[in-house]
Amino acid sequence: MRIRVLGSGAGGGVPQWNCGCENCRAVRSGQLGIEARTQDSIAVRNGHGGWVLCNCSPDVLRQIEAFDELHPRAPRHSPISAIILTNGDLDHVLGLFSLRESYPLVLYATDGVRRGLFEQNAIASTLARFEGHVTHRALPLGTEVSIDDARGEPTGIRVTARPVRGKIPVHLEGIAPSSPDQNVGLWLRDATGKAAAYVSAVSDVADVTPHLGGVDVLLLDGTFWSSDELSRPGLSKARAEDMAHLPVGDPGGSLELTARFEVRRRIYTHINNTNPMLVEASPERHAVKAAGWEVANDGMEILL
Ligand SMILES: [Zn+2]
Ligand SMILES: [Zn+2]
């Protein structure tokens, strides 16, 4: 299995259009030791099979152009065989509407996520331009399914979606019921049994811990370093918990809670632009590295 990190930033990316925080300013001024990041998505491939996108960020067009293996090989073609969604947050789904140019898409999503995206949403009809434009496939909780392309051919990637504590997308608050299938982690496996877990939004690692046996690589929610990262400098009233992200560095944060994880590679992704661990020379980055963690960057390749 090959994993390509297409985007390692949280919602807004790095830099974020309306943010003048220290990190965003550093990236804009070309300072060394901190990289720009697009929004959260990975691409996964088994051998010579097609690429499977996990999440489809608002930056998907840039992400495709930045990675030649996702370029078309015919006048109308895409090496993307299927797309799996982890939740309905706009930073994970908005890119779908940028892929509207009449090409068959295969979409794996839980019932709750699919309903949130395709019901009561006038824009969704742009993905129904012809019969079979989007093939909807179920993403059941706790059951492994084969990811197949539009013709039903297996990509060689199998996935188990597990509910992890999170929250309903902001635009569905008060409209759709909160249910466990609104936010899932993806456990990906290839034919050789190599396995990766991709959990880019989670507020409690207790939902992840019991399922790490046999997992070679864990990609985990690294959105915020501390609970008051946005509220302290007055960037927002919300704390990390309010946005359903377990902070990395706080007491009781993911760094502490995962200290005994026995996963060979542990990688933080979905990193907000305010997170101090984005700065390579920061004490926070040193703490993460000392604990055996890596910090994802766009274009990172993981070979299993
Ligand atoms: Zn997100
Ligand atoms: Zn910023």
Side-chain angles (χ1 to χ4, degrees), residues 9-12 39-40 55 86-87 89-92 200-201 223 245 270:
Q39 296 166 84
D40 176 55
N55 286 333
T86 61
N87 66 26
D89 287 346
L90 293 182
D91 58 322
H92 303 157
S200 65
T223 312
H245 294 296
H270 193 279

Side-chain angles (χ1 to χ4, degrees), residues 74-151:
R76 277 289 180 277
H77 169 259
S78 169
I80 299 170
S81 291
I83 300 170
I84 317 175
L85 301 177
T86 61
N87 66 26
D89 287 346
L90 293 182
D91 58 322
H92 303 157
V93 304
L94 218 42
L96 285 172
F97 301 104
S98 298
L99 304 183
R100 66 188 175 280
E101 284 85 8
S102 298
Y103 191 81
L105 301 172
V106 176
L107 194 61
Y108 287 79
T110 64
D111 262 2
V113 170
R114 182 188 48 76
R115 278 200 306 269
L117 254 176
F118 289 91
E119 289 178 8
Q120 298 176 312
N121 175 9
I123 295 176
S125 62
T126 199
L127 293 175
R129 296 179 178 201
F130 59 93
E131 185 70 28
H133 192 166
V134 176
T135 303
H136 291 279
R137 299 231 178 93
L139 190 59
L141 298 182
T143 304
E144 190 175 66
V145 291
S146 167
I147 302 299
D148 302 341
D149 68 14
R151 290 164 308 166

Side-chain angles (χ1 to χ4, degrees), residues 21-41:
C21 79
E22 212 175 314
N23 285 348
C24 287
R25 283 187 284 125
V27 172
R28 285 191 190 102
S29 66
Q31 207 168 295
L32 294 179
I34 180 165
E35 277 179 47
R37 282 169 167 81
T38 59
Q39 296 166 84
D40 176 55
S41 173

Side-chain angles (χ1 to χ4, degrees), residues 59-70:
D59 301 314
V60 68
L61 300 181
R62 272 203 286 162
Q63 293 169 341
I64 289 170
E65 292 311 317
F67 183 32
D68 56 3
E69 292 188 44
L70 294 183

Side-chain angles (χ1 to χ4, degrees), residues 162-165 187 199 202-212 218 220 246 252-254 257-258 261:
R162 299 184 199 282
V164 294
R165 257 161 284 188
W187 271 252
V199 188
V202 62
S203 61
D204 192 340
V205 289
D207 296 337
V208 179
T209 320
H211 308 289
L212 290 177
L218 169 65
L220 187 68
L246 180 69
S254 62
L257 295 181
T258 60
F261 277 17

Side-chain angles (χ1 to χ4, degrees), residues 13-16 18-25 28 235 272-275:
V14 190
Q16 177 178 312
N18 62 345
C19 189
C21 79
E22 212 175 314
N23 285 348
C24 287
R25 283 187 284 125
R28 285 191 190 102
L235 299 173
N272 197 59
N273 56 76
T274 48
N275 192 323

